Amino acid sequence: MQTQAYAVHSATTPFAPYSIERREPGPKDVAIDILYCGVCHSDLHTARGEWPGVQFPCVPGHEIIGKVRTLGSQVSRFKPGQIVGVGCMVDSCRTCAQCKDGLEQYCDGPVGFTGTYNGAMGGGPNTYGGYSAAITVDEHFVLDISHAEKDLAGAAPLLCAGITTWSPLRHWGASPGKKVGIVGIGGLGHMGVKLSNALGAHTVAFTTSAAKVADAKALGADDVVVSKDADQMARHANSFDMILNTVAAPHNLDAFTSLLKRDGTMALVGAPPSPHPSPAVFNLVLKRRSIAGSLIGGIPETQEMLDFCAKHGITSDIEMIRIQDIETAYARMLKNDVKYRFVIDMASLKNG
Ligand code: NAP
Ligand code: ZN
Ligand code: ZN
């Protein structure tokens, strides 16, 4: 089925209308009309060719909220007209230990998981994401959405920004009595603050943007630190159980590892195109601190997060845009000027 989309044809050309082919639903597929799609910094890293292995044409978008149009003959979990979500993955091997554990993002199969756009991690055919009118997805990778209709656009970013912060927060035990830092108050970071706060942890936001201090408090931070201010940073030395670092650019990690208490962990989720300066070993060994990484989240934990957010009335703070404004949105994202996630109203695709 021919489907309207927006694509880039190289790392240096702007987005333009493009027609893609979507498969007719097979027995286990769900065909979805896309209502909203969030704009992740990973979309920008990919569309601008900043990460290795980008396939063009590239249709990004992995924070999808849509409405079920048709279902394959063997799908019983969904019904036509139902509101559903699709996140960063559309397939995995389903048989390896990681997939059996519900952590499909770490799939050990021959090509790893298949991204909603840019194909499988280990190569293979390209896939096209949510900057499009419709998508066909195996039911295993389709999520139930129980947010109210008025909250659907704000729920879209939960599919990446939400789960990418939820998964490490849960894994490293964000909960009452724990002190958690969130570094970078962008799309991921603002969700990290909301979720850490909702999980009951004492939450401290770190930002390079002094203008975001009041917002970060309103998002749920108990304290906000402007990370360029050495005195403000020093007040938190040796005190964090966990720091979640969402920054999209290389920076000095030591400034944050020195804030971890003994056995504390800084989990990196930000994925800059070039490496961070090497961390100082003494900073780690003297307090048995760790630097770790975390990738999006598995399908069961994504559903758990969506249900938690629906129950607690949690959505992303969004700025709705037309697809025609995507270049402006990317330019603003590069200036840390997003409050706090752009979401594309896919109805705008009809305007060409
Ligand atoms: P974003 O909305 O652009 O937010 C990133 C934030 O990082 C900025 O708002 C800014 O916050 C801070 N920042 C940017 N440049 C900085 C610099 N040079 N030094 C210090 N802080 C800086 O991006 P996002 O969508 O949240 O994504 C963040 C990163 O996570 C990207 O690299 C993305 O690809 C990656 N990501 C990873 C996963 C995963 O599974 N691991 C999933 C999704 C996204 P302040 O203004 O508050 O300083
Ligand atoms: Zn993303
Ligand atoms: Zn697998």
Side-chain angles (χ1 to χ4, degrees):
M1 190 183 50
Q2 284 300 303
T3 303
Q4 275 182 295
Y6 254 54
V8 282
H9 286 77
S10 79
T12 52
T13 46
F15 277 93
Y18 184 60
S19 182
I20 57 173
E21 176 68 24
R22 292 294 192 197
R23 67 177 185 265
E24 291 299 328
K28 290 189 181 298
D29 280 341
V30 183
I32 301 161
D33 289 323
I34 299 176
L35 299 170
Y36 304 109
C37 184
V39 178
C40 179
H41 206 115
S42 302
D43 302 355
L44 187 157
H45 289 311
T46 308
R48 301 300 193 226
E50 293 177 356
W51 285 343
V54 177
Q55 303 190 56
F56 292 99
C58 173
V59 177
H62 58 203
E63 295 184 335
I64 298 169
I65 294 279
K67 193 180 269 193
V68 175
R69 180 166 16 94
T70 50
L71 298 162
S73 55
Q74 291 174 21
V75 180
S76 53
R77 274 178 56 217
F78 301 104
K79 32 182 206 306
Q82 185 174 341
I83 299 295
V84 292
V86 177
C88 304
M89 300 182 281
V90 289
D91 207 0
S92 70
C93 84
R94 325 280 176 93
T95 57
C96 75
Q98 317 307 328
C99 287
K100 288 208 165 117
D101 281 349
L103 294 168
E104 299 88 344
Q105 74 273 33
Y106 302 120
C107 176
D108 289 329
V111 292
F113 76 85
T114 299
T116 303
Y117 60 83
N118 204 41
M121 297 293 277
N126 201 358
T127 49
Y128 298 126
Y131 297 7
S132 61
I135 191 166
T136 307
V137 181
D138 185 293
E139 64 168 336
H140 181 83
F141 293 90
V142 179
L143 286 310
D144 278 315
I145 300 291
S146 46
H147 282 78
E149 192 170 346
K150 67 173 174 51
D151 291 332
L152 292 181
L158 301 179
L159 276 309
C160 176
I163 185 57
T164 302
T165 49
W166 174 265
S167 180
L169 286 169
R170 296 278 285 164
H171 182 75
W172 278 283
S175 55
K178 300 284 178 168
K179 183 171 173 184
V180 171
I182 307 287
V183 187
I185 307 306
L188 266 54
H190 95 288
M191 285 313 308
V193 170
K194 287 190 185 208
L195 294 173
S196 173
N197 174 259
L199 288 166
H202 182 85
T203 304
V204 179
F206 291 91
T207 181
T208 57
S209 310
K212 291 184 185 174
V213 169
D215 283 0
K217 285 204 172 129
L219 291 165
D222 296 289
D223 200 354
V224 186
V225 174
V226 177
S227 53
K228 292 169 180 164
D229 182 327
D231 289 341
Q232 287 189 37
M233 292 289 277
R235 266 180 242 141
H236 291 272
N238 302 321
S239 67
F240 283 90
D241 295 283
M242 181 208 179
I243 295 177
L244 181 60
N245 188 326
T246 76
V247 172
H251 61 282
N252 172 23
L253 300 180
D254 298 332
F256 297 103
T257 50
S258 61
L259 306 187
L260 293 167
K261 62 161 75 149
R262 192 203 74 211
D263 291 330
T265 298
M266 176 157 73
L268 304 177
V269 290
S274 50
H276 297 296
S278 253
V281 171
F282 279 109
N283 217 6
L284 301 174
V285 297
L286 288 172
K287 292 261 188 285
R288 202 162 59 186
R289 295 162 171 142
S290 303
I291 296 177
S294 183
L295 180 66
I296 48 176
I299 293 298
E301 59 184 339
T302 304
Q303 192 63 62
E304 175 192 62
M305 176 275 308
L306 288 165
D307 295 346
F308 177 91
C309 288
K311 186 170 161 211
H312 293 270
I314 298 173
T315 55
S316 174
D317 287 16
I318 65 158
E319 219 180 302
M320 190 96 90
I321 60 164
R322 304 174 314 140
I323 189 113
Q324 293 80 3
D325 297 330
I326 190 69
E327 290 288 334
T328 310
Y330 277 24
R332 283 185 51 195
M333 191 148 61
L334 287 172
K335 290 191 286 184
N336 303 337
D337 176 27
V338 186
K339 300 224 166 135
Y340 276 89
R341 195 61 140 185
F342 291 115
V343 171
I344 305 164
D345 181 355
M346 216 47 71
S348 60
L349 250 186
K350 294 195 190 78
N351 305 328

